[in-house]
Amino acid sequence: MKIDYIGHSCVLLNGSKKVLVDPFITGNPKAKITADEVEADYILVTHGHADHLGDAVEIAKRTGAEVIAMVELGNWIGAHGVTAHPINIGGSLDFGDFKVKMVSATHSSCLPTGEYCGLAAGFIFWLDDICFYHAGDTGLFSDMAYVIAGFEIDLSFLPIGGYYTMDAKDAVKAVKWLECKDVMPIHYNTFPAITTDLDKFVHDVTIHTVATARPVQPGESLEYEKRGRRPIKKYEKI
Ligand code: NI
Ligand code: MN
């Protein structure tokens, strides 16, 4: 499955359906495309902050994509004349080849107007039988080990930039707790405040976890296949 890293937290998964997550494209200094070039069947929005909600409403209007978001945010998006599914933490939707479950994130959220729009969230989703976890914006939290790891994640999209979210060191712990097979780092190096040493993150994931780090540069893609974990059993303490 081709996975496009548009930049920041925005990824586009090109399976039997096109699933777009956190489409911050207009104003994204790392984006190499414009919002009117993106196609999608479903759009997942983790929370209302502008660097995640982004162009969701405009893209959904143009493409007919269905939007999945926290109930208050989803209702606001739906009021703009697009199809929205306003779910809440623990809630699931089954569209056949694409299934999605909303999970917790430890972060804040508001509309572009500054108004309240419910909690920030993350998503576990299954596209063509591959299990993905997009953490949205979050600090490290123990549900990663106690709840999310139980879903046997293939590929996690995790923020590593610090300042607004967990940093790279916490993200390595998250990878351990999630027991995911692969991790794509997101939400780093977009702005000066979230400047991060990517090479160190990749090194630490390799040394300290059974996962493989799969960093992708904005505008480039990862050809992803479901596979086994790296057979390393001995952890070093971090
Ligand atoms: Ni945020
Ligand atoms: Mn953010």
Side-chain angles (χ1 to χ4, degrees), residues 47 49 51-52 107-108 137 187:
H47 63 295
H49 290 158
D51 61 318
H52 297 263
H107 191 69
S108 60
D137 277 356
H187 212 276

PDB file of all heavy atoms in Angstrom, residues 47 49 51-52 107-108 137 187, ligand 1:
ATOM      1  N   HIS A  47      -8.245  16.301  15.842  1.00  0.00           N
ATOM      2  CA  HIS A  47      -8.723  17.385  16.714  1.00  0.00           C
ATOM      3  C   HIS A  47      -8.813  18.672  15.916  1.00  0.00           C
ATOM      4  O   HIS A  47      -8.455  18.708  14.739  1.00  0.00           O
ATOM      5  CB  HIS A  47      -7.866  17.516  17.970  1.00  0.00           C
ATOM      6  CG  HIS A  47      -6.436  17.893  17.753  1.00  0.00           C
ATOM      7  ND1 HIS A  47      -5.533  17.089  17.092  1.00  0.00           N
ATOM      8  CD2 HIS A  47      -5.735  18.990  18.144  1.00  0.00           C
ATOM      9  CE1 HIS A  47      -4.346  17.665  17.088  1.00  0.00           C
ATOM     10  NE2 HIS A  47      -4.434  18.826  17.712  1.00  0.00           N
ATOM     11  N   HIS A  49      -7.382  21.703  16.145  1.00  0.00           N
ATOM     12  CA  HIS A  49      -6.289  22.658  15.909  1.00  0.00           C
ATOM     13  C   HIS A  49      -6.004  22.782  14.410  1.00  0.00           C
ATOM     14  O   HIS A  49      -6.080  21.793  13.668  1.00  0.00           O
ATOM     15  CB  HIS A  49      -5.020  22.238  16.665  1.00  0.00           C
ATOM     16  CG  HIS A  49      -5.148  22.393  18.153  1.00  0.00           C
ATOM     17  ND1 HIS A  49      -4.376  21.700  19.050  1.00  0.00           N
ATOM     18  CD2 HIS A  49      -5.975  23.181  18.893  1.00  0.00           C
ATOM     19  CE1 HIS A  49      -4.717  22.056  20.286  1.00  0.00           C
ATOM     20  NE2 HIS A  49      -5.684  22.947  20.214  1.00  0.00           N
ATOM     21  N   ASP A  51      -3.493  22.967  12.556  1.00  0.00           N
ATOM     22  CA  ASP A  51      -2.479  22.126  11.898  1.00  0.00           C
ATOM     23  C   ASP A  51      -2.928  20.661  11.793  1.00  0.00           C
ATOM     24  O   ASP A  51      -2.124  19.800  11.419  1.00  0.00           O
ATOM     25  CB  ASP A  51      -1.123  22.243  12.604  1.00  0.00           C
ATOM     26  CG  ASP A  51      -1.158  21.797  14.059  1.00  0.00           C
ATOM     27  OD1 ASP A  51      -2.127  22.121  14.767  1.00  0.00           O
ATOM     28  OD2 ASP A  51      -0.202  21.110  14.487  1.00  0.00           O
ATOM     29  N   HIS A  52      -4.224  20.408  12.068  1.00  0.00           N
ATOM     30  CA  HIS A  52      -4.785  19.048  11.919  1.00  0.00           C
ATOM     31  C   HIS A  52      -6.102  19.082  11.150  1.00  0.00           C
ATOM     32  O   HIS A  52      -6.274  18.363  10.176  1.00  0.00           O
ATOM     33  CB  HIS A  52      -4.962  18.391  13.298  1.00  0.00           C
ATOM     34  CG  HIS A  52      -3.640  18.228  13.972  1.00  0.00           C
ATOM     35  ND1 HIS A  52      -2.935  17.065  13.945  1.00  0.00           N
ATOM     36  CD2 HIS A  52      -2.855  19.139  14.619  1.00  0.00           C
ATOM     37  CE1 HIS A  52      -1.766  17.252  14.564  1.00  0.00           C
ATOM     38  NE2 HIS A  52      -1.702  18.492  14.981  1.00  0.00           N
ATOM     39  N   HIS A 107      -4.253  15.663  25.002  1.00  0.00           N
ATOM     40  CA  HIS A 107      -3.995  16.902  24.268  1.00  0.00           C
ATOM     41  C   HIS A 107      -5.254  17.759  24.390  1.00  0.00           C
ATOM     42  O   HIS A 107      -6.283  17.283  24.859  1.00  0.00           O
ATOM     43  CB  HIS A 107      -3.692  16.552  22.801  1.00  0.00           C
ATOM     44  CG  HIS A 107      -3.154  17.679  21.983  1.00  0.00           C
ATOM     45  ND1 HIS A 107      -1.899  18.199  22.178  1.00  0.00           N
ATOM     46  CD2 HIS A 107      -3.693  18.381  20.947  1.00  0.00           C
ATOM     47  CE1 HIS A 107      -1.695  19.166  21.291  1.00  0.00           C
ATOM     48  NE2 HIS A 107      -2.770  19.303  20.545  1.00  0.00           N
ATOM     49  N   SER A 108      -5.181  19.007  23.951  1.00  0.00           N
ATOM     50  CA  SER A 108      -6.357  19.881  23.959  1.00  0.00           C
ATOM     51  C   SER A 108      -6.926  19.985  22.547  1.00  0.00           C
ATOM     52  O   SER A 108      -6.385  19.409  21.608  1.00  0.00           O
ATOM     53  CB  SER A 108      -5.967  21.262  24.483  1.00  0.00           C
ATOM     54  OG  SER A 108      -4.967  21.823  23.641  1.00  0.00           O
ATOM     55  N   ASP A 137      -2.132  14.483  18.007  1.00  0.00           N
ATOM     56  CA  ASP A 137      -1.228  15.163  18.944  1.00  0.00           C
ATOM     57  C   ASP A 137      -1.454  14.534  20.312  1.00  0.00           C
ATOM     58  O   ASP A 137      -2.589  14.474  20.787  1.00  0.00           O
ATOM     59  CB  ASP A 137      -1.574  16.655  19.043  1.00  0.00           C
ATOM     60  CG  ASP A 137      -0.963  17.490  17.940  1.00  0.00           C
ATOM     61  OD1 ASP A 137      -0.203  16.938  17.115  1.00  0.00           O
ATOM     62  OD2 ASP A 137      -1.257  18.701  17.904  1.00  0.00           O
ATOM     63  N   HIS A 187       4.830  15.100  12.831  1.00  0.00           N
ATOM     64  CA  HIS A 187       4.753  16.263  13.723  1.00  0.00           C
ATOM     65  C   HIS A 187       6.130  16.671  14.267  1.00  0.00           C
ATOM     66  O   HIS A 187       6.306  16.864  15.466  1.00  0.00           O
ATOM     67  CB  HIS A 187       3.772  15.978  14.882  1.00  0.00           C
ATOM     68  CG  HIS A 187       3.025  17.192  15.386  1.00  0.00           C
ATOM     69  ND1 HIS A 187       3.548  18.049  16.313  1.00  0.00           N
ATOM     70  CD2 HIS A 187       1.790  17.688  15.090  1.00  0.00           C
ATOM     71  CE1 HIS A 187       2.672  19.003  16.574  1.00  0.00           C
ATOM     72  NE2 HIS A 187       1.592  18.817  15.844  1.00  0.00           N
TER      73      HIS A 187
HETATM   74 NI    NI B   1      -2.868  20.146  18.524  1.00  0.00          NI
END
